[in-house]
Amino acid sequence: MASYDALRAEFEAFAAEQIAPFADEWDRNGAVPESAIRAMAEAGFLGLSIPEEFGGRGLDQRGVMLLNMAVGEACSSMRSLLTVHLALVSETIARWGTPEQKTRLLPDLASGRKIAAFALSEPLTGSDAKNVHTRYVRDGDRYRLTGRKKWTTFGQRADLFLVVADGEEGVCAFLLDRSKAGKSLLLGPLDGMLGTRASLVAEMEMSGCAVDERDVLGRRGLGFLQIVNTALDNGRFSVAAGCVGIARAALRAAAQHANTREQFGSKLRDFQLIRRRAAAIALDARTAALLCEDAAALRDGGSPKAIMRTAMAKYHASAAANRAADHAVQIHGALGCHESSPVQRYFRDARVMEIIEGSTEMQELLIGEQAIKNPDLIID
Amino acid sequence: MTANDNDQLKSDIRDYFKSNMGKDARFADGDDIFADGLVNSLFALQLVTFLEDSFKITVENDDLDLQNFRSVDAIADFVGRKRNNSAA
């Protein structure tokens, strides 16, 4: 494996050349183009952490972190593809899929020939994720799914959906192939998002979508406990690292503006109140990165502490990205409120990060419960 | 696995349960920790990682029967079986 420095250089060069120059345009258009998704696939990013035997690059979580940081700095909409396709679905199949599922599905996912999305949220189900209303029923050696999913990131583009549904065997996770669903699956664009506007968010309506028995992921009845929890843990890590990218982008933009803009006959950098904001962004960017590095090391070491430290990283990094983007907008003044500056995009994208993959409030409950029960688990 | 090994195994599992439920948590080796509501839903995943990390076993899809994880006794039996299978 290449050194982490070499990986970081590779990821940052890709993001600087192939993503960042176009991110504002994609945001305005409400879609990342197919050519950009292909470029991510050709670089091997869509299978970065998938084992090499299934066509991935076989990198560890530290590598995943570096990629999310680099792409997140350039464009949170594109970075969201890494969360849903790689973290939520592909890594979860790699962890809990049957040998047949891994052999059949992972090569296409790792190469990006197929794009995956995660269908958990519903019109009436958000943080109370166990309470899914989408239902499945047995139909011979198949299952049929009926219900509505909402806020499905990259759902407009996805070929494969990990759908969570409830039924007589308890909550199950299903791998729904779009090409086989026909008219039983209706997908509509969900435009008008505040942030990550280019991430091709969809609404789904399933009317008896057929899924083969072999496409149940994980144990029947453990769809939430086993699959959703694994997926969201992977997703939280991806989002946390992406938030470091937003904070870094905010810092670079703020520094660039403070070094060039003049008011009252001086550069903004000479005003102490501007420096205070710059210091706040710098601290948030760095502390968020350190918590991500901590989580990455625990995840790569197979530590049971990894889940909690990942939640802590996500909690802090998403709030840090919001604060950083807020400071960057304020330093930019009116320019920061206009689409000609990317800081308004950072501000809108950061806001989404405190909601997805477990809201800030859900992370607080989780971390707080653990902190009271066993402070050592948090401290050590 | 000797009786001493089994005792140590159960002791390690008890310690891990307490670290997640709080040091004052009271439970017997046969108590069903999931039914008693002593743990949250993420604990199941943490427990799997703990078992893999501490006892050098691999928990696979087919192992994820809650009966294997409900109590200290059940987990000790499960780990013992996994070790015996990998040694065979």
Side-chain angles (χ1 to χ4, degrees), chain A residues 170-239:
Chain A
V171 174
C172 292
F174 299 91
L175 295 161
L176 173 63
D177 185 332
R178 182 180 190 164
S179 69
K180 294 179 184 172
K183 292 179 179 174
S184 66
L185 173 62
L186 294 178
L187 287 160
L190 226 173
D191 297 327
M193 300 296 295
L194 170 71
T196 58
R197 294 172 68 96
S199 62
L200 300 172
V201 180
E203 284 185 288
M204 302 171 62
E205 185 161 349
M206 293 165 284
S207 307
C209 288
V211 180
D212 291 342
E213 205 170 44
R214 66 176 185 164
D215 285 323
V216 176
L217 181 61
R219 297 277 297 209
R220 292 179 180 81
L222 295 184
F224 191 86
L225 211 59
Q226 178 191 8
I227 301 302
V228 173
N229 277 336
T230 298
L232 290 180
D233 174 53
N234 296 339
R236 278 192 280 273
F237 183 67
S238 170
V239 170

Side-chain angles (χ1 to χ4, degrees), chain A residues 95-98 101 130 217-219 222 224-227 229-231 233 236 301-308 366 369-370 372-377, chain B residues 15-16 18-23 34 37-54 58-66:
Chain A
R95 175 65 180 97
W96 291 120
T98 63
Q101 287 170 337
K130 283 181 193 169
L217 181 61
R219 297 277 297 209
L222 295 184
F224 191 86
L225 211 59
Q226 178 191 8
I227 301 302
N229 277 336
T230 298
D233 174 53
R236 278 192 280 273
S303 168
K305 294 177 182 173
I307 291 173
M308 194 53 55
L366 196 65
E369 178 188 359
Q370 196 71 70
I372 289 169
K373 282 182 176 174
N374 188 358
D376 291 341
L377 210 61
Chain B
D15 287 346
Y16 187 67
K18 286 185 178 179
S19 75
N20 280 272
M21 299 172 196
K23 289 187 168 56
F34 288 97
L38 292 170
V39 293
N40 62 29
S41 67
L42 266 186
F43 176 74
L45 268 193
Q46 290 174 306
L47 178 60
V48 165
T49 316
F50 163 73
L51 297 176
E52 291 185 327
D53 183 47
S54 301
T58 301
V59 178
E60 291 162 286
N61 217 15
D62 290 343
D63 298 322
L64 286 182
D65 183 336
L66 280 184

